[in-house]
Amino acid sequence: MTDTRYQYIDGEWIEGDSDDEMTVRNPAVPDDPLATFPRADREQTRNAVDVATEASEAWEETTPDERDSLLYDIADLIDDNVDELAQTLTKEEGKALSSSRGEVSRAAEIFRFFASYARTATGETIPSSDPDTFTYTIREPLGTVALVTPWNFPIATPSWKLATALVTGNTVVFKPSSQTPMIAKQLVELLERAGVPDGVVNLVVGSGSTVGDELTTNDGIDGISFTGSTGVGRQIAQAAADRGIPIQTEMGGKNPQVVLPDADIEDAADAAIGGAFGLTGQACTATSRLIVHEDVIDELTDAVVERAESLSVGPGMDDPDMGPAVSEEQDETNFDYIDIAKEAGATLLTGGTRPDGLESGYYIEPTVFTDVTSDMRIAQEEVFGPVLSIMEASDFDEAIEIANDVEFGLSSSVFTADMASARRFANAIEAGVVKVNGATTGSQIQMPFGGMKASSSETQKEMGQTAYEFYTHEKAVYRTDP
Ligand code: NAD
């Protein structure tokens, strides 16, 4: 019999207390459920918060050496189990197996990167105006933090939140997406094996409206780090504001790739394809608008369509270029937006249907529209699927105007041979991530990650050299010796 204990509270694996069951499906074979188990309820979530709060004092007192060696052990265990983790990820989320392996390895790298912060993340000594007073800052953990995560990077995103929260001395209640609880369970099992003390990390699997809501409103939670959609993120930010606790929300995107007339068109086409269709368009940084100078739009459009039509689509376990959409709901959303774009007058160049022979999973062909303008919903709303809109601009200024004419501001890219144009783009674009001659997708662990506008609460960035700041209080100390 399969193990139905998905809740990890105070070092024990237990069943959810709710009467509701959750079924996890493989989006490549939805009729064959992977797991069914009871969800956690509100009371169980409260219990997890209480347990994490009780564990706080002892965890905060652990030495930097203890914390860094624990994080290195977690990284090693993730690496040792890369095959098993990648297979679970692909079965549950649908992405191609090589992408899953890449994500799992990145999770290990993340734990290693943040391990070093146990010994180095610290306050500052600041010159004092008074020679008898020593002025410095110290950083202390927030206490117990809630980590609420989406399904699209179901091991990398929890890892960068968990690693940073733990290394700074916080205890955690982790709520993964209901689409991807299996990989979350396996990750927490590895944390347990590495020796994370009881109560320090707790996993609560259940719905956003009960478990998620309890975590965002519970008085025992001292900070919330959320990644997900803008609608939910704003709701959580509002609840956190009412309680006056720190909040980090990284949310949706509508990311532009701008192509200027002096760009390398082959490189620009490769980047657009990778950015729009890699991970089935289910990356928050996915390219959804290709904004092209009128002089090169025909050439680039031909190159993009040719490449899109050559992509393989199929079950993630066969390692195709593109796997299925994650869920029935996302599948419906993808096809809804095809209709919305057509009705608004966009021209479908390729895709827009389910590929032949793949009727049973949530598949869609890589889809490219042209004649898209900013007043259309397809140019404004996040689809979160493999749908690319080509938009024409007559010059640099118009390209920037189109690129910025959305509520989101997560990632962006410009293709040009002229570094003065690249610099102007980097200054004018309203986005937290800017790529020059690179895809909107992809990021480096040591670089800060996060958006602007409706893509982020812009409190503190994730990843990078200062990601730990979110998880700490900063105190300014004035010490005058007697
Ligand atoms: P989602 O907002 O539906 O869910 C995210 C998490 O919030 C899940 O764990 C969910 O159960 C929980 N949740 C839902 N309702 C809640 C509530 N009322 N209270 C508390 N928690 C609640 O997002 P999703 O569908 O899982 O993920 C896709 C979205 O995430 C896209 O919009 C994508 O752009 C975004 N995303 C952003 C980033 C980024 O770094 N900016 C990264 C990945 C994904």
Side-chain angles (χ1 to χ4, degrees):
M1 215 182 91
T2 51
D3 189 356
T4 51
R5 296 169 305 160
Y6 273 69
Q7 323 298 333
Y8 183 67
I9 300 173
D10 205 10
E12 298 285 333
W13 287 100
I14 53 173
E15 297 255 349
D17 275 348
S18 157
D19 295 334
D20 252 5
E21 289 208 318
M22 180 185 285
T23 296
V24 189
R25 293 182 188 279
N26 178 343
V29 199
D31 292 344
D32 187 12
L34 295 169
T36 299
F37 58 88
R39 299 172 200 263
D41 64 7
R42 228 171 241 284
E43 190 53 42
Q44 215 166 7
T45 310
R46 279 189 206 120
N47 185 28
V49 175
D50 291 347
V51 160
T53 305
E54 271 166 41
S56 270
E57 202 177 313
W59 179 244
E60 189 178 337
E61 282 171 6
T62 51
T63 64
D65 320 35
E66 286 168 320
R67 284 187 222 153
D68 97 339
S69 97
L70 183 67
L71 263 68
Y72 281 121
D73 287 349
I74 294 169
D76 289 346
L77 278 169
I78 292 173
D79 273 339
D80 291 347
N81 291 278
V82 64
D83 288 331
E84 194 189 339
L85 290 162
Q87 286 188 19
T88 299
L89 205 167
T90 288
K91 282 184 195 154
E92 193 175 43
E93 199 265 0
K95 67 179 67 169
L97 198 53
S98 55
S99 301
S100 294
R101 286 184 66 91
E103 186 182 335
V104 172
S105 299
R106 189 174 172 83
E109 208 189 323
I110 286 165
F111 275 100
R112 269 188 204 105
F113 176 76
F114 284 111
S116 65
Y117 281 82
R119 295 172 197 252
T120 56
T122 181
E124 298 172 283
T125 302
I126 295 168
S128 174
S129 307
D130 177 349
D132 295 326
T133 301
F134 176 43
T135 44
Y136 62 101
T137 66
I138 51 175
R139 288 197 171 268
E140 292 175 351
L142 296 177
T144 296
V145 293
L147 308 182
V148 182
T149 58
W151 47 262
N152 66 327
F153 289 106
I155 187 163
T157 304
S159 292
W160 74 58
K161 293 181 194 294
L162 279 161
T164 330
L166 289 175
V167 85
T168 43
N170 294 280
T171 58
V172 169
V173 183
F174 165 32
K175 186 225 161 308
S177 165
S178 303
Q179 308 282 354
T180 51
M182 295 173 76
I183 188 78
K185 181 178 193 306
Q186 283 182 11
L187 175 64
V188 174
E189 281 168 353
L190 295 182
L191 266 60
E192 180 187 22
R193 267 174 64 191
V196 172
D198 295 351
V200 170
V201 172
N202 304 276
L203 173 70
V204 191
V205 181
S207 73
S209 54
T210 51
V211 171
D213 185 69
E214 180 60 37
L215 287 178
T216 44
T217 51
N218 189 299
D219 283 342
I221 293 294
D222 302 304
I224 304 169
S225 180
F226 166 85
T227 301
S229 61
T230 297
V232 173
R234 283 188 166 157
Q235 205 180 319
I236 290 178
Q238 185 62 54
D242 290 344
R243 294 194 39 235
I245 58 168
I247 173 90
Q248 182 176 51
T249 57
E250 291 302 337
M251 304 173 283
K254 192 73 194 168
N255 310 296
Q257 177 183 326
V258 168
V259 182
L260 299 179
D262 58 358
D264 182 316
I265 298 301
E266 297 297 310
D267 285 354
D270 287 342
I273 291 292
F277 305 126
L279 308 175
T280 320
Q282 297 176 147
C284 52
T285 52
T287 311
S288 60
R289 295 175 299 145
L290 185 59
I291 303 166
V292 190
H293 191 280
E294 59 188 12
D295 290 354
V296 289
I297 194 165
D298 291 342
E299 189 188 349
L300 182 61
T301 299
D302 289 347
V304 164
V305 170
E306 189 190 326
R307 282 164 172 75
E309 289 177 348
S310 73
L311 296 177
S312 58
V313 181
M317 294 303 276
D318 295 349
D319 208 24
D321 294 320
M322 221 176 79
V326 69
S327 63
E328 186 174 8
E329 193 188 352
Q330 185 59 50
D331 186 52
E332 282 170 14
T333 301
N334 291 342
F335 285 103
D336 283 351
Y337 273 104
I338 305 291
D339 293 340
I340 288 167
K342 282 185 194 163
E343 277 161 27
T347 306
L348 179 66
L349 293 176
T350 187
T353 53
R354 213 181 282 300
D356 289 342
L358 290 172
E359 283 76 19
S360 62
Y362 303 132
Y363 297 98
I364 184 168
E365 290 168 339
T367 300
V368 182
F369 280 102
T370 192
D371 302 323
V372 175
T373 50
S374 283
D375 55 345
M376 296 179 184
R377 285 179 61 193
I378 194 70
Q380 293 293 327
E381 298 171 15
E382 183 183 50
V383 179
F384 222 55
V387 181
L388 179 66
S389 296
I390 300 181
M391 306 173 80
E392 182 173 313
S394 56
D395 57 21
F396 178 90
D397 290 336
E398 195 191 4
I400 285 285
E401 194 184 315
I402 296 170
N404 286 339
D405 189 15
V406 288
E407 65 166 330
F408 298 105
L410 183 48
S411 187
S412 64
S413 140
V414 65
F415 273 75
T416 178
D418 174 29
M419 288 306 107
S421 299
R423 182 172 47 77
R424 278 177 71 204
F425 180 86
N427 290 343
I429 193 71
E430 294 166 354
V433 178
V434 185
K435 300 279 193 71
V436 176
N437 296 319
T440 57
T441 46
S443 61
Q444 297 185 16
I445 293 172
Q446 60 274 25
M447 287 286 278
F449 181 78
M452 291 168 61
K453 296 161 71 178
S455 295
S456 174
S457 51
E458 292 197 67
T459 43
Q460 265 119 353
K461 299 274 180 184
E462 299 204 270
M463 314 297 291
Q465 306 291 335
T466 54
Y468 65 85
E469 289 180 1
F470 172 73
Y471 293 92
T472 56
H473 295 293
E474 186 179 35
K475 288 182 180 165
V477 184
Y478 296 71
R479 194 188 80 193
T480 305
D481 296 343

